Amino acid sequence: MKKSLLAAALLSCTVAAQAADQSDASALAPVIVTATRTAITADEALSSVSVITRADIERLQPLSVPDLLAGLPGMSFANTGGYGQQTSLFMRGTNSTHTLLLVDGVRVASVSAGLAAFEQIPVEQIERIEIVRGPRSSLYGADAIGGVIQIFTRRGTRDGGLQPSFSVTTGSNNLLRGQAGLSGGSEHAWYNLGVGAQYTRGINACRIGAGVVFAGCFTDEPDRDAYRNKNLSASGGYRWDDGAELTGTWLRSLGEIHFDGSYQNRSRTLQQVAGSTFSFNPLEAWKTTLSVGQNLDRYDNYENRDFVGYIYSRRNQASWQNDLSVASNQLLTLGVDWQGEHIDSDTGFLASRRNNTGGYVQYQGTFGRNEVQLSARRDHNGQFGNHNTGAAAWGYRFEHGLRLSASYGSAFHAPTFNDLYYPYGSGNPDLKPEKSRSAELGLSQQQGTWNWALNAYQTRIDQLIALDSNYFPSNISKARIRGVEGQFGANLAGWRLQAYLGWLQPRNEDGGINDGRTLPRRPGRTARVDLDRRFGAFGVGATVNAAGRSYDDAANRHPLGGYASTDLRASWHFAPDWQVEARLANVFDRHYETVWYFNQPGRSAFLTLRYSPAGR
């Protein structure tokens, strides 16, 4: 692990020195909306952000969203046994419920568990992903302690004509995946329709150590755990001559997951997201946006063929946002959000509904080389009363693209229904909401064909919710997370390099028996290097993803060893709009675990045929 991190660091430094001599051919920064809820360029954001485009997805050839995001700054995943299995994200060392996931602006997470099912979102239906690290509760309310991830589904184009697309993938563990789409548009309207399916025989999700009978998944089922998924998506929009615009999106994902368990070993899942937005300008300096959305989440559980139970959740949401240009380079945003949560299950919960209403205000201003962002929000939660959060960020631009930034923000998270009320002794109705305070210092530079960024941060969380040795949720009075993230990108002699390094220290500081211990499932060190190049119609690339040692439990009795995996990929544009892609994952067949006792896929090969017209 130490050698992998050192190699990544040396590679970054070597290429940086060479790239510094290249010509200054600057590229346009992508436009993002997640960082401030308004359209800005990525280099204007006073926070650490990443943008993944459709072109990036096709270049990297991932099979899932966690496969695509793993190893990016602040991102570590815990997976329980391969593709389609439950996957939790720990962004910047915070809890798996502390990252807000949006799909086309709609909140996505189970109301009962509070977890976003990243593994159930079909990567072939994604157009782009925006990642914002650091607290965002002052804009989005609860859950955004570690950051916000927004996924945008595929869109149509306004350049006219009907554009079909499709891809088919086959590979190891009997994997078969297909996707087809149809899009089009005109000067004012656009639309996109997509359908996809995936099947894999899977791997044995859970291992059992020698002499251990009831551990890990509490059963011994040495079989392959298959995964199936079917998905549909639709989106469209219309823009009038005066700038008013109406859009609608819909995504539905149906899954069937086999796993190892003592009283259930199969689930049928539903993830559905629908939303609509209408925006217009009542005055030249005033833009108003109205949006509504709904997220459905359902799990039907079985033991072999016998139905065991179900859990169903629904979240409705609505918002009204107003952007006012108060002066040159100064924008004032005011808005209100509402969401209603409902849960239904075959098990008895003491409560099944709650609402939250929040009002927020944000100011963005530029004064010469200085940039300022201020935001404040007040939420009223039906169970836990009022919560106030705020954030302040400042940036200063030096010569040659160098920028210094500093920020401070507070955030909160309300306990989930499972935390509070799950029956059979697993819920704790006395839990308190989690509250956090974060400070960050960043330095970045964009110069011609290369760029780099370095961010250091500290987050303190009061009343952090964690499971004790008996899997009973309780509040840890204090936790402290410190981290440093570095990233570097360059184009050199036709080669495209992206390198990331991370150091993390997530500590329990509650003064109890686990005081000073590392919070579970958070690797202390991470690194990733992506290297790609095109040779005419051919493309080649490689990714090295490494993570250091972590622990699976709060007492740090069960270590998870560090690992490094290597992926190789190639592509061939053998005809206009046609491409063949090949990927060899985990080339050296490394064995590692991100959750104690749960396996990860070994060496795997995949082959894809893709038809994608220009612009799609």
Side-chain angles (χ1 to χ4, degrees), residues 108 174 203 285:
V108 176
N174 298 103
I203 62 174

Side-chain angles (χ1 to χ4, degrees), residues 308-330:
V308 175
Y310 72 96
I311 190 162
Y312 167 82
S313 68
R314 180 181 70 247
R315 178 184 289 104
N316 297 320
Q317 70 174 57
S319 68
W320 179 32
Q321 179 171 314
N322 298 275
D323 302 312
L324 305 170
S325 179
V326 294
S328 177
N329 294 321
Q330 298 185 57

Side-chain angles (χ1 to χ4, degrees), residues 92-94 439 455-460 479-485 502-507 509 519 523-524:
R92 284 192 166 182
T94 61
N455 295 80
Y457 59 89
Q458 176 173 280
T459 298
R460 291 188 177 274
R480 186 202 68 196
I481 303 169
R482 288 176 176 169
V484 178
E485 299 164 353
W503 173 84
L504 186 68
Q505 189 185 64
R507 297 292 189 193
E509 292 190 343
L519 299 177

Side-chain angles (χ1 to χ4, degrees), residues 45-74:
L46 296 179
S47 53
S48 176
V49 301
S50 298
V51 178
I52 299 171
T53 65
R54 183 68 221 170
D56 294 328
I57 295 172
E58 295 185 6
R59 173 175 55 86
L60 295 170
Q61 303 179 33
L63 289 181
S64 67
V65 172
D67 194 19
L68 174 65
L69 301 184
L72 293 180

Side-chain angles (χ1 to χ4, degrees), residues 256-270:
E256 182 175 336
I257 310 156
H258 293 245
F259 53 93
D260 297 332
S262 57
Y263 66 95
Q264 59 188 39
N265 55 18
R266 182 167 64 97
S267 288
R268 290 180 176 174
T269 70
L270 164 68

Side-chain angles (χ1 to χ4, degrees), residues 15-16 18-23 25-27 59 446-451 488-498 530-534:
V15 178
Q18 295 172 330
D21 296 330
Q22 302 302 306
S23 61
S26 60
R59 173 175 55 86
Q446 175 82 42
Q447 187 73 11
T449 59
W450 55 272
N451 63 85
F488 175 80
N491 293 317
L492 175 65
W495 289 94
R496 174 178 177 174
L497 169 73
Q498 286 292 145
D530 297 332
L531 190 63
D532 293 271
R533 183 172 179 178
R534 295 212 64 85

Side-chain angles (χ1 to χ4, degrees), residues 188 238-246 278-281 287:
H188 292 284
Y238 188 90
R239 185 180 181 89
W240 285 267
D241 289 333
D242 62 1
E245 187 170 30
L246 176 66
F278 178 61
S279 62
F280 64 99
N281 292 74
K287 178 182 179 181

